[in-house]
Amino acid sequence: MIRPLTIVAGKGGVGKTTVAAALALESAARHRTLVVSTDPAPSLADALAQDVPDRDTAVRDVDRLEARQMDASAAFARMRDTYQSRVDAIFAGLMGKGVDLAHDRAIARDLLALAPPGVDEIYALTLLTDALFKDAYERVIVDPAPTGHLLRLLEMPQLALAWSHQLMRLLLKYKDVVGLGDTARELLELSRDLRALETLLHDETRCGVVIVMLDEPVVRSESQRLAAEIGRLGIAIAGVVLNRSVGRGAALPATLPVAQAAVQVVAPTADPPPVGVDALRRWRASWIAP
Ligand SMILES: Nc1ncnc2c1ncn2[C@@H]1O[C@H](COP(=O)(O)OP(=O)(O)OP(=O)(O)O)[C@@H](O)[C@H]1O
Ligand SMILES: [Mg+2]
């Protein structure tokens, strides 16, 4: 169920971060892997029982595995500040050239200030896919923030692309007056990265979502809706993990009705909870077919 880009999805508290960490350990047995959480809460650090800062960090005693807790809003804010000062510089350069700028300058400022919500997380994803394309990693496993609702996130590349094009069009109006230089080049890079991400998301050989769920009626019907929506977006479901489903004397749960290609497994309740590399590996080894 692990694809080059694997996104772990599911309701709050079902075990997404734990599953992401366990899959990452499995993947690292053969492939250079990065596991990233874009969740502002320090969740991966808890699951792996080690410090995980906002940069690729080797997981202790594990070859080929790095982890990162990415602050998506900070990354996007840095990019936005860069554009803000570039835009200011462009308009400053235009001063005294007899062009009425007040209007466009206001538009440019608004475009930057009012970037669509969720753009920060999608920007984080473009940084991650860049890591894949530059061949630094063979696998990237993402544990997304619960707030940046996954479905919104998956629809985001289009919105973000439209946003970057608007900004570009505005700046292009002045290209003959002031050279756009780095700004234009970087905006082009951003839209190229967004398009690459959009393509990657829809390539079932390279990207898949792993749904984590509990065998409870409410969670089950929500997961079913989630699966349907992901399908509607044309994104593959690579796997379903029925978490905490055995070990309570219950019968094995039914699978989720999703595409045949999806690998479905039952992950037992572990006592104590699977925290740290060794416990995660043992827990992963205990998963069974439903
Ligand atoms: N199979 C399991 N057996 C025992 N404990 C588990 C199991 N799966 C997860 N847990 C524990 O449940 C808690 C929640 O798990 P986790 O943080 O992975 O969920 P999450 O879906 O990432 O939550 P959030 O939505 O808050 O990010 C953690 O303390 C974790 O150790
Ligand atoms: Mg989590």
Side-chain angles (χ1 to χ4, degrees):
M1 68 173 85
I2 306 170
R3 311 256 165 103
L5 177 64
T6 302
I7 301 172
V8 181
K11 256 177 77 72
V14 292
K16 296 181 296 296
T17 304
T18 308
V19 166
L23 290 177
L25 285 166
E26 176 189 348
S27 168
R30 296 225 241 124
H31 302 274
R32 186 139 193 258
T33 304
L34 175 69
V35 58
V36 198
S37 133
T38 51
D39 189 343
S43 44
L44 259 185
D46 290 344
L48 292 168
Q50 78 164 55
D51 227 30
V52 181
D54 189 358
R55 69 186 130 74
D56 300 5
T57 304
V59 173
R60 263 197 306 274
D61 305 323
V62 182
D63 291 337
R64 293 174 292 275
L65 180 58
E66 295 187 43
R68 173 174 183 176
Q69 290 189 151
M70 194 174 212
D71 184 339
S73 353
F76 183 72
R78 276 196 298 276
M79 181 193 80
R80 184 166 57 192
D81 290 349
T82 308
Y83 279 113
Q84 188 66 73
S85 32
R86 298 271 181 74
V87 166
D88 285 348
I90 286 170
F91 282 99
L94 287 165
M95 296 287 254
K97 294 202 170 156
V99 201
D100 178 20
L101 308 167
H103 184 61
D104 279 355
R105 183 179 192 146
I107 293 178
R109 285 200 153 265
D110 282 356
L111 269 175
L112 287 166
L114 306 174
V119 146
D120 50 355
E121 247 211 297
I122 206 71
Y123 176 65
L125 268 188
T126 64
L127 297 181
L128 297 175
T129 46
D130 225 32
L132 268 181
F133 292 137
K134 290 188 177 137
D135 269 335
Y137 296 99
E138 295 166 278
R139 305 272 185 76
V140 174
I141 296 173
V142 187
D143 174 29
T147 44
H149 191 269
L150 182 77
L151 294 173
R152 259 195 69 73
L153 183 68
L154 296 177
E155 283 175 322
M156 216 47 221
Q158 290 296 344
L159 254 172
L161 203 54
W163 175 79
S164 73
H165 286 165
Q166 260 178 298
L167 196 57
M168 182 72 118
R169 262 198 304 281
L170 187 83
L171 295 180
L172 281 176
K173 274 171 72 175
Y174 298 106
K175 73 171 189 313
D176 297 333
V177 196
V178 285
L180 292 181
D182 286 350
T183 309
R185 191 176 43 73
E186 280 173 23
L187 265 178
L188 273 176
E189 260 170 40
L190 177 63
S191 55
R192 193 205 54 208
D193 288 350
L194 285 166
R195 268 194 302 273
L197 173 62
E198 179 74 353
T199 307
L200 177 63
L201 285 173
H202 293 96
D203 179 348
E204 63 176 323
T205 64
R206 293 191 298 154
C207 172
V209 173
V210 170
I211 295 181
V212 183
M213 60 177 280
L214 308 179
D215 187 32
E216 289 165 8
V218 176
V219 183
R220 182 171 279 276
S221 54
E222 262 189 46
S223 305
Q224 222 148 306
R225 268 199 301 279
L226 178 66
E229 284 291 304
I230 292 169
R232 190 183 55 75
L233 291 173
I235 297 169
I237 293 170
V240 177
V241 177
L242 292 138
N243 194 16
R244 297 169 173 277
S245 292
V246 282
R248 290 180 301 179
L252 287 181
T255 55
L256 201 66
V258 292
Q260 286 272 295
V263 179
Q264 305 212 26
V265 294
V266 171
T269 302
D271 184 20
V275 170
V277 168
D278 293 338
L280 283 166
R281 280 192 173 129
R282 273 198 305 278
W283 179 60
R284 171 65 190 90
S286 74
W287 294 5
I288 50 175

